[in-house]
Amino acid sequence: MNQKAEKFDLLVADLNKGGNTWFTKEEMTDDLNTVVYHGRLDVHEHSLPVFIVVDDSAFTYVRIAITTTSIDKKVIPAVLKELNTLNQDYKISKYYVSNEDNNIYMDVSIPCLNEQFDPTVVVNLMLEVIQPHLDAVHKDILKVARSEERRVGK
């Protein structure tokens, strides 16, 4: 396990003491000692899967599944146009359609070395920046994906 994960574990333990079992932990077997914390983020009527990835690199990142079912390949060009606009307007995040499963994801990369890593910064970023941002844009993203699916006759 990596040093950042050890720090994140302490935060998770504190959250669990307070009755908040927000995260589950998955340790990977790779050269970067990657640990993934799985959680959920409520945005409107949706509970979006969240993956916080900490490892021995100079970065930690938060990945949020904007959709949980694949979008039709026919609508990807229209969806990518919307996501490209978001990527230009919001510097903190990167939106994309995964080549693996055709779901829409949002990644937020956080530069942080082991010594400076503070897990509360990651959680506060999710709650104070990412969640309000998604509250503002999530419905519009889904609207583009769904309206295009209906238009092309999924």
Side-chain angles (χ1 to χ4, degrees):
M1 184 164 52
N2 64 69
Q3 291 179 21
K4 290 187 251 182
E6 291 171 3
K7 292 177 182 180
F8 207 92
D9 282 348
L10 294 174
L11 175 66
V12 170
D14 283 347
L15 291 171
N16 288 344
K17 283 181 200 171
N20 184 341
T21 56
W22 201 14
F23 296 107
T24 59
K25 178 180 169 181
E26 177 184 10
E27 293 186 51
M28 312 305 278
T29 53
D30 62 12
D31 293 341
L32 291 174
N33 300 308
T34 302
V35 177
V36 180
Y37 294 88
H38 300 266
R40 301 202 72 84
L41 188 64
D42 292 330
V43 176
H44 302 290
E45 67 276 3
H46 301 277
S47 182
L48 305 179
V50 172
F51 312 94
I52 298 175
V53 181
V54 295
D55 58 27
D56 286 333
S57 74
F59 297 92
T60 291
Y61 71 89
V62 178
R63 174 167 292 158
I64 301 166
I66 303 301
T67 57
T68 54
T69 56
S70 298
I71 60 173
D72 190 294
K73 289 183 181 185
K74 296 175 196 164
V75 306
I76 289 176
V79 170
L80 289 176
K81 184 177 177 184
E82 176 71 14
L83 298 182
N84 192 45
T85 299
L86 290 171
N87 288 336
Q88 291 176 34
D89 291 346
Y90 297 97
K91 293 174 178 74
I92 192 168
S93 58
K94 177 178 82 174
Y95 288 93
Y96 61 96
V97 176
S98 170
N99 292 333
E100 294 177 16
D101 62 10
N102 285 351
N103 276 309
I104 301 170
Y105 291 95
M106 171 190 182
D107 281 0
V108 176
S109 184
I110 307 160
C112 53
L113 300 173
N114 288 333
E115 299 78 32
Q116 291 83 27
F117 179 70
D118 182 353
T120 59
V121 169
V122 177
V123 172
N124 286 336
L125 180 70
M126 284 181 43
L127 297 175
E128 296 174 17
V129 177
I130 296 171
Q131 187 167 28
H133 166 71
L134 287 173
D135 283 339
V137 302
H138 186 254
K139 285 183 179 180
D140 291 336
I141 295 170
L142 294 183
K143 189 165 108 178
V144 169
R146 290 179 180 153
S147 67
E148 286 299 315
E149 285 175 351
R150 284 191 295 274
R151 191 178 69 72
V152 297
K154 181 177 180 183

